[in-house]
Amino acid sequence: MSGPLSHLKVLDLSRILAGPFAGQILADLGADVIKVERPESGDDTRSWGPPFLPAADGGQGDAGYFLACNRGKRSVCADLSTEDGQALVKALAARSDIVIENYRVGGLAKFGLDYASLKEIKSDLVYCSITGFGQDGPRAQQSAYDFMIQAMGGLMSVTGEADGFPGAGPQKVGVPIVDLMTGMYSVIAILAAIARRDQTGDGDYIDIGMLDVMAGSLCNQAQNYFVSGKPPKRSGNRHPNIQPQDVFPCKDGHVVIVVGNDGQYAKFCEAIGRPDLIDDPKYRTNGDRVTHLETLFPEIIAALETDTMAGWVARLEEVGVPCAPINTVPDLLADPQAVHRGFEVKIDHPASGPLSLLASPMRFANAPVEIRRHPPSLGEHDEEIRAELSL
């Protein structure tokens, strides 16, 4: 059975993560995604290791980073500075529905591969440009990476332990979250443009900036500032608006507890043997608990120190209070829910044998998502694609 986007063709001129991740999502959904790469070196992330995938012949394969965001695609090599490379890209654009690129602003215009040029070849093309700061403004020509956008975009100002705690200081998120969100926003915009094209027959040009995405993802933290006028601060694992929500120590480790409303709070207090905290006027409502957090937390910590992590998880789950152990990646993949939902997918890689990949989180009843292709070797489909184009 074909995926829901099996009727679409995508020309992926991007590299690193945000653009390739967008292309991978479209490939997961069934689109035919052709990744154009530099001859010899290819996408930068092919060498972003270790770890590297061991090759069957004992050599070194691609880095795990590349494998994470390029499955489902076909790879063809082209030097965009040459007439041959430009001709290949234009031929691909002529039969594509979507183009994704993340060159510097104006970088593809000198090769005749910008939106204005390719629109002359395919008038209904949906062309998505991904940059650090968008196509205009004083920073438009600057390069950007996820880490610096996390810093500039305010995320690191609200991530990390609060001042006064051991190890306090700004922290980045443990995955390249801005790149990933930029890829997802790009896909949303692309599919919206495709839906509009189906109604009007017109293509579109999409301008996605990583800093724009980061700002748009600050969500409640930015809105708290708009409402209060006070800049949000780092609070470690504590939620700024709902309490108790934090990482709490117990007898043999730590447990995450996420009390989301007053009803859950009452169940939580009963479960930890402190029903007296339910009607205490300092803690009766969520607002009260947020205001008096510094006196509430020592009471909770003292109660939790009497049992183990597994004991508290079992007890709190039984009464419906959201909680969780802090899993490692192997712990996650071994969780019964993860096994049931199939988080780990195995696919054959011609150069390395069986390869484990993360499954797509999207589930469809009538057009299931499937990983149809392994992450391609550099230029693996050169002959195939050039034959299709009669080049």
Side-chain angles (χ1 to χ4, degrees):
M1 187 178 293
S2 299
L5 300 183
S6 59
H7 60 295
L8 296 178
K9 295 184 181 296
V10 181
L11 172 55
D12 185 356
L13 301 177
S14 66
R15 63 267 195 228
I16 313 296
L17 183 53
F21 191 65
Q24 177 172 276
I25 294 172
L26 296 172
D28 283 349
L29 292 169
D32 179 16
V33 181
I34 295 179
K35 182 179 181 69
V36 177
E37 301 186 71
R38 295 185 300 257
E40 299 180 3
S41 59
D43 190 311
D44 302 55
T45 59
R46 287 187 183 274
S47 62
W48 280 13
F52 294 97
L53 184 67
D57 62 4
Q60 176 178 290
D62 291 316
Y65 210 116
F66 176 84
L67 301 173
C69 53
N70 286 286
R71 66 174 180 240
K73 305 177 185 180
R74 296 192 284 167
S75 171
V76 62
C77 290
D79 182 347
L80 302 190
S81 67
T82 67
E83 290 185 4
D84 178 73
Q86 294 162 20
L88 173 65
V89 171
K90 289 175 181 178
L92 287 169
R95 66 169 204 168
S96 295
D97 301 282
I98 298 158
V99 173
I100 303 172
E101 65 90 6
N102 60 352
Y103 282 74
R104 283 194 179 191
V105 173
L108 289 177
K110 61 186 177 182
F111 304 133
L113 303 176
D114 56 325
Y115 174 63
S117 299
L118 296 187
K119 183 182 178 182
E120 296 298 317
I121 299 172
K122 185 85 182 315
S123 62
D124 63 350
L125 198 62
V126 171
Y127 190 110
C128 180
S129 292
I130 301 171
T131 55
F133 302 99
Q135 295 294 305
D136 48 39
R139 295 190 184 274
Q141 292 294 334
Q142 294 181 13
S143 298
Y145 284 86
D146 178 276
F147 192 1
M148 61 180 286
I149 299 297
Q150 287 196 40
M152 291 182 65
L155 182 60
M156 290 178 63
S157 76
V158 296
T159 305
E161 292 293 352
D163 289 336
F165 278 76
Q171 291 287 322
K172 69 181 181 70
V173 178
V175 295
I177 192 68
V178 185
D179 275 325
L180 298 177
M181 292 190 298
T182 298
M184 289 188 282
Y185 266 106
S186 297
V187 170
I188 293 169
I190 286 167
L191 295 183
I194 289 292
R196 179 177 177 273
R197 188 187 72 168
D198 291 343
Q199 296 295 317
T200 67
D202 297 327
D204 211 339
Y205 177 74
I206 300 166
D207 171 11
I208 299 284
M210 292 171 64
L211 186 64
D212 301 27
V213 170
M214 184 65 259
S217 302
L218 287 173
C219 197
N220 60 304
Q221 293 283 28
Q223 196 62 46
N224 288 346
Y225 168 68
F226 287 145
V227 171
S228 69
K230 298 179 180 178
K233 298 180 179 180
R234 301 187 312 277
S235 56
N237 294 303
R238 296 183 181 183
H239 196 288
N241 302 107
I242 312 170
Q243 285 297 340
Q245 287 197 23
D246 204 343
V247 175
F248 292 94
C250 49
K251 184 176 288 187
D252 63 346
H254 293 80
V255 63
V256 168
I257 296 172
V258 184
V259 173
N261 55 51
D262 294 340
Q264 290 178 355
Y265 174 69
K267 294 177 181 179
F268 172 70
C269 292
E270 293 282 358
I272 67 173
R274 293 297 307 272
D276 56 299
L277 295 176
I278 298 173
D279 293 321
D280 188 311
K282 296 198 301 290
Y283 314 130
R284 188 175 292 124
T285 69
N286 179 70
D288 296 330
R289 295 190 291 275
V290 172
T291 301
H292 298 101
L293 204 57
E294 299 309 318
T295 58
L296 175 60
F297 265 42
E299 303 284 0
I300 294 174
I301 290 171
L304 293 177
E305 287 176 343
T306 63
D307 202 351
T308 63
M309 178 173 62
W312 284 122
V313 169
R315 194 182 309 183
L316 294 174
E317 283 183 346
E318 183 178 1
V319 298
V321 174
C323 61
I326 301 175
N327 283 339
T328 63
V329 172
D331 292 336
L332 164 66
L333 295 175
D335 186 281
Q337 181 68 17
V339 173
H340 174 79
R341 297 283 283 183
F343 286 10
E344 182 178 358
V345 177
K346 292 188 181 295
I347 190 170
D348 285 331
H349 192 290
S352 305
L355 171 66
S356 289
L357 298 169
L358 284 176
S360 167
M362 296 176 284
R363 303 288 193 273
F364 294 84
N366 297 321
V369 171
E370 60 177 332
I371 299 175
R372 296 169 296 119
R373 297 177 183 273
H374 58 273
S377 299
L378 178 60
E380 181 177 341
H381 304 94
D382 276 344
E383 292 185 10
E384 174 182 307
I385 291 169
R386 288 180 180 273
E388 290 175 9
L389 299 172
S390 299
L391 293 176

